Amino acid sequence: MKKTAPTASDSLLKLDNFLCFAIYSTANAVTRAYQPRLSALGLTYPQYLVMVVLWEEENQTVSAIGDRLNLDSGTLTPLLKRLEAMDLITRRRGTVDERQVLINLTDSGRSLRAKAEAVPLAIGKAFGCTLEDAKSLRTELLDMRDNLIASIETRDQPA
Amino acid sequence: MKKTAPTASDSLLKLDNFLCFAIYSTANAVTRAYQPRLSALGLTYPQYLVMVVLWEEENQTVSAIGDRLNLDSGTLTPLLKRLEAMDLITRRRGTVDERQVLINLTDSGRSLRAKAEAVPLAIGKAFGCTLEDAKSLRTELLDMRDNLIASIETRDQPA
DNA sequence: ACGCTTTAAATTGCACACAATTTAATTGTA
DNA sequence: TACAATTAAATTGTGTGCAATTTAAAGCGT
């Protein structure tokens, strides 16, 4: 029984060689790792990110939050409605530009911040890398992300 | 108007400092970047990963695929049913152990591989990093993922 | 002022992820 | 051999992500 020699195409479709899969499965693991601590605050991981953005700056439009998190209104609108239903944020139409919806924190939303500050500290260790490693990894990932986004935007330009 | 000095807690909840967000938003960008090329094959990104696993080895159980991709039956069962409906795979109960469901490729599924081989080549450039960078980044991410998974499993052990 | 284009959110529809539960088959153990 | 515990998938329910479309408001060009 003769075995076929490894071909070039073998290495092309090996899961273990995929950087994309490393990113994908690490992202899933991240949200799973955050979940127990965030559910103690009543938040999902994407909801937590939105709250972080709002704790940095209030009175932001849906688009501004979307630019920060790379998410569109199709994702954010229902998510923000849930945060509003939890009484963490308010949503009101802009007065100068009525197309915009301005998002603000409620008192509950503002006070949740104190509890949220414990989360990154608690999770930090689980990553199992030094702060310097984390920092350089973060930079490399964000560069790559921006490259990927640029490649998407270039691709579908009209000729 | 006096501004408050930056406190330690400021840096704790800064989105720009979050490694988790770098991973999260890069993962989203990855699936967006793959989407146009994969939809030409009729696949989503997770479906593509399942096919890659099956191109490496046929006749795998749902759990075996799940172990490889870190996904559970709640995600895989409906995904595999879709691949079956597309006539790319077959699902049949195991004969030795009837709890298992064995996944195999159809001829269409097997022949799709040739087209799929072009995908990583085409996307590769969009990452905008060297092969060596990609390799070390991949290793670091997988290590971190395994650390995260280990931390989850340790946490909810019974005392 | 009139339309035309652009823009901001919302909506619709589909496909993940995952916690929690259920169903059914297998294993372990008295 | 009974029978409790475990295991493999499936199911249920919730919450994303995102493409595509819709709705309504703003800009803008004559």
Side-chain angles (χ1 to χ4, degrees):
Chain A
M1 189 67 100
K2 189 173 136 187
K3 281 185 186 165
T4 54
T7 63
S9 61
D10 272 325
S11 69
L12 284 181
L13 282 178
K14 283 285 181 196
L15 186 71
D16 291 340
N17 296 338
F18 283 9
L19 174 56
C20 64
F21 172 65
I23 298 165
Y24 164 84
S25 65
T26 306
N28 287 343
V30 165
T31 61
R32 282 201 300 274
Y34 273 80
Q35 192 274 332
R37 294 185 192 278
L38 289 179
S39 73
L41 309 185
L43 296 175
T44 64
Y45 181 72
Q47 289 168 3
Y48 165 70
L49 291 180
V50 168
M51 292 303 289
V52 168
V53 167
L54 290 170
W55 286 322
E56 287 183 357
E57 183 177 342
E58 299 201 21
N59 206 44
Q60 296 199 61
T61 64
V62 174
S63 306
I65 298 171
D67 287 345
R68 204 88 171 76
L69 299 176
N70 288 298
L71 295 172
D72 66 10
S73 67
T75 300
L76 285 176
T77 297
L79 188 157
L80 292 167
K81 284 183 178 173
R82 277 175 216 118
L83 292 179
E84 185 183 37
M86 292 184 241
D87 191 37
L88 295 175
I89 66 164
T90 60
R91 298 162 64 242
R92 64 181 172 74
R93 284 279 162 189
T95 46
V96 285
D97 187 338
E98 289 195 12
R99 291 171 305 180
Q100 299 183 335
V101 168
L102 289 164
I103 309 299
N104 279 278
L105 291 169
T106 62
D107 287 341
S108 321
R110 229 169 270 120
S111 65
L112 191 63
R113 179 180 172 154
K115 289 184 196 170
E117 276 167 3
V119 174
L121 285 175
I123 296 286
K125 299 165 216 154
F127 283 92
C129 64
T130 67
L131 272 178
E132 301 82 56
D133 285 348
K135 195 172 172 179
S136 69
L137 193 49
R138 195 189 63 214
T139 307
E140 290 178 81
L141 284 168
L142 292 178
D143 284 351
M144 200 157 60
R145 181 197 66 182
D146 293 340
N147 289 336
L148 287 168
I149 291 172
S151 82
I152 296 167
E153 282 163 1
T154 329
R155 183 164 42 211
D156 48 34
Q157 288 309 322
Chain B
M1 188 68 94
K2 190 171 136 189
K3 281 185 186 167
T4 54
T7 63
S9 62
D10 272 324
S11 69
L12 283 181
L13 282 178
K14 283 285 181 196
L15 187 70
D16 291 340
N17 296 337
F18 282 10
L19 174 57
C20 63
F21 172 65
I23 298 166
Y24 164 84
S25 64
T26 306
N28 287 343
V30 165
T31 60
R32 282 202 300 274
Y34 272 80
Q35 191 273 334
R37 294 184 192 279
L38 289 179
S39 74
L41 310 184
L43 295 175
T44 64
Y45 181 72
Q47 288 168 4
Y48 165 70
L49 292 180
V50 168
M51 293 303 289
V52 168
V53 167
L54 290 170
W55 286 322
E56 287 182 357
E57 182 178 344
E58 299 200 21
N59 205 44
Q60 296 199 61
T61 63
V62 174
S63 306
I65 298 170
D67 287 345
R68 204 91 170 75
L69 299 176
N70 287 298
L71 295 172
D72 67 9
S73 67
T75 301
L76 285 175
T77 297
L79 188 158
L80 291 167
K81 283 182 178 175
R82 276 174 218 118
L83 292 178
E84 185 184 36
M86 291 184 241
D87 191 39
L88 295 175
I89 66 163
T90 60
R91 299 162 64 241
R92 63 180 172 75
R93 282 280 161 187
T95 47
V96 285
D97 187 337
E98 290 193 10
R99 290 171 305 181
Q100 299 182 334
V101 168
L102 289 164
I103 309 299
N104 279 279
L105 292 169
T106 62
D107 287 342
S108 321
R110 228 168 271 120
S111 64
L112 191 64
R113 179 181 173 153
K115 288 184 196 168
E117 277 167 0
V119 174
L121 286 174
I123 297 285
K125 296 165 216 154
F127 283 92
C129 65
T130 66
L131 273 178
E132 301 81 56
D133 285 348
K135 195 172 173 179
S136 69
L137 194 49
R138 196 190 63 213
T139 307
E140 290 178 81
L141 284 168
L142 292 178
D143 284 350
M144 200 156 60
R145 180 197 66 182
D146 293 340
N147 289 337
L148 288 168
I149 292 172
S151 84
I152 297 167
E153 283 163 1
T154 329
R155 184 164 41 212
D156 47 36
Q157 288 309 320

